[in-house]
Amino acid sequence: MDATIVIPTKNAGDILNRTLGMVFSQKTQFTYEVICVDSGSKDNTLEIIKQYPCILYEIPAQEFGHGKTRNYGASQGKGEFIVFITQDAAPAKEDWLEQLILAVKSDDQIAGGFGIHYPYEDCNALDRVDLVRHFQNYGMENTIFYIDDMEKFKNDNAYMQHLAFFSDNNSCIRRAVWQQYPYPDVNFAEDQIWMRKMMEKGYKKVYCPKAPVYHSHNFKLSTYYKRFFDEYRGLYDVYGYIISDSWWSLPIHWAKHIRRDLANIRSQQMSRSRKLYWLGYSIIRNYCRYYGGYKGGMWHSFSPARQQRIDRRFSQQYKEKRA
């Protein structure tokens, strides 16, 4: 078996049908199996999975972990390469798998590779631009990255973040490497923590824009505070990154981000009323980003009792594991 595709699922909804439909429409020389690990779906997710030749494993919701669950799924497969995608990451081309595996096979020192994300057709105006710009930073062709300056890697946070970034929404890793270095059991950013470790051990990564998936979100504004809390708590684990040096500087960062969003909104073809809508959206979302993100980044400095109280109140990951 050449590849094992692992897809964690929970209450995926109809988007999973699109994802699995494209996974099983791949035109490739490589043999592959698909393993879904479901952690307590209460919608039609299991029915959708059973419509396809997937291998299904079910685990209790409280046993889910971003790294732990992916490790479990990978351990049940036999493929030389382990491909991780998420339930809402639909391959955009019929040679997605072919291109992703070929990219990783191009150099024996590559521990893993990740592909580009395209915004879905209904992606909101702000996320669409952010997503495109993010992946443009990694090049327009297959590109291999590795540490060529260890001192810079240790001391330049931007350089380290660029090399450590990895996304298991659309990724492929070597089973031989994974068996030696499985994913960490963490609540967030398991993929970036893993890639940072691989880089530090002398491995390489490859970015593959030829292997795209559709992956974007239109989250409810009411969920963003908790989402950014979890995200920046995870970023601290990977990079020691805190969104702001102090609580008092948060309004400045908040205002600057709104200003950037406003320039983006003005550049797009839309009615005045829609521009006003997206400006309001930006104001609320960036409040959540900076204040929720700051609290998430500072979580590690709190006492265990306070950490637990904050998790119960603000962490979406905490809530999902108990749903």
Side-chain angles (χ1 to χ4, degrees):
M1 183 70 64
D2 294 312
T4 298
I5 301 175
V6 178
I7 310 174
T9 64
K10 184 177 181 180
N11 297 331
D14 291 338
I15 190 63
L16 180 59
N17 198 35
R18 178 170 175 175
T19 297
L20 290 177
M22 283 303 299
V23 165
F24 285 103
S25 297
Q26 291 299 297
K27 296 179 179 178
T28 177
Q29 64 182 297
F30 300 113
T31 58
Y32 63 97
E33 60 186 349
V34 179
I35 293 176
C36 294
V37 184
D38 189 82
S39 53
S41 287
K42 298 176 182 178
D43 64 357
N44 62 340
T45 294
L46 297 181
E47 287 70 25
I48 292 173
I49 292 172
K50 291 173 183 177
Q51 293 174 18
Y52 295 88
C54 301
I55 304 168
L56 172 63
Y57 295 95
E58 297 181 60
I59 62 173
Q62 62 270 23
E63 290 186 13
F64 175 82
H66 284 286
K68 179 171 67 173
T69 299
R70 286 174 171 83
N71 284 339
Y72 174 73
S75 71
Q76 303 305 308
K78 301 177 181 178
E80 178 185 357
F81 297 92
I82 302 166
V83 175
F84 290 121
I85 59 173
T86 49
Q87 61 190 18
D88 56 351
K93 295 183 178 179
E94 291 180 334
D95 66 343
W96 156 78
L97 183 62
E98 179 89 359
Q99 294 296 334
L100 195 55
I101 294 175
L102 287 176
V104 176
K105 285 173 65 74
S106 66
D107 186 321
D108 290 341
Q109 291 302 306
I110 292 174
F114 67 101
I116 193 171
H117 299 185
Y118 291 165
Y120 274 111
E121 297 85 354
D122 64 346
C123 181
N124 73 61
L126 300 180
D127 285 343
R128 179 177 296 275
V129 173
D130 288 346
L131 191 63
V132 170
R133 288 176 177 171
H134 174 77
F135 284 97
Q136 283 178 342
N137 290 329
Y138 291 93
M140 304 302 290
E141 299 292 336
N142 285 7
T143 307
I144 295 175
F145 296 89
Y146 57 93
I147 298 176
D148 56 4
D149 187 334
M150 182 57 76
E151 286 303 309
K152 185 177 180 180
F153 185 82
K154 292 178 179 179
N155 299 307
D156 185 334
N157 196 259
Y159 177 72
M160 188 262 282
Q161 288 185 38
H162 191 66
L163 291 183
F165 176 79
F166 194 67
S167 174
D168 57 23
N169 292 307
N170 181 20
S171 67
C172 175
I173 66 178
R174 294 181 184 274
R175 180 173 294 275
V177 176
W178 171 81
Q179 287 175 329
Q180 190 172 2
Y181 306 109
Y183 268 0
D185 182 10
V186 293
N187 289 326
F188 203 84
E190 73 292 336
D191 43 7
Q192 297 187 62
I193 294 172
W194 182 81
M195 181 50 72
R196 177 178 177 178
K197 182 176 182 179
M198 296 304 97
M199 285 285 172
E200 291 171 342
K201 291 190 172 296
Y203 287 103
K204 302 174 183 178
K205 75 173 180 183
V206 61
Y207 168 58
C208 183
K210 297 179 180 179
V213 298
Y214 286 104
H215 186 257
S216 60
H217 298 287
N218 289 328
F219 293 129
K220 294 180 180 179
L221 279 172
S222 60
T223 70
Y224 271 117
Y225 196 96
K226 292 181 178 181
R227 290 184 181 278
F228 282 123
F229 171 84
D230 285 333
E231 178 177 342
Y232 282 89
R233 179 178 161 186
L235 288 175
Y236 182 88
D237 288 335
V238 188
Y239 308 116
Y241 178 79
I242 298 175
I243 199 168
S244 178
D245 294 334
S246 71
W247 181 265
W248 306 109
S249 65
L250 291 176
I252 298 172
H253 296 298
W254 178 25
K256 286 182 177 179
H257 206 128
I258 294 169
R259 187 176 180 180
R260 290 198 299 272
D261 283 347
L262 180 58
N264 170 16
I265 294 166
R266 283 174 170 170
S267 70
Q268 298 190 46
Q269 296 295 320
M270 63 178 75
S271 67
R272 179 179 175 82
S273 62
R274 292 303 293 170
K275 288 182 179 181
L276 289 173
Y277 169 83
W278 286 116
L279 175 59
Y281 188 98
S282 171
I283 291 170
I284 297 171
R285 187 173 73 161
N286 283 311
Y287 173 86
C288 297
R289 182 193 307 274
Y290 286 97
Y291 286 88
Y294 181 79
K295 191 178 292 291
M298 294 299 294
W299 181 89
H300 303 79
S301 66
F302 302 143
S303 68
R306 189 179 178 190
Q307 287 176 346
Q308 189 173 30
R309 289 196 303 271
I310 290 173
D311 279 346
R312 285 198 299 266
R313 184 176 179 185
F314 296 115
S315 175
Q316 191 171 51
Q317 300 292 330
Y318 182 92
K319 180 180 179 181
E320 288 179 352
K321 290 180 74 172
R322 286 156 180 79

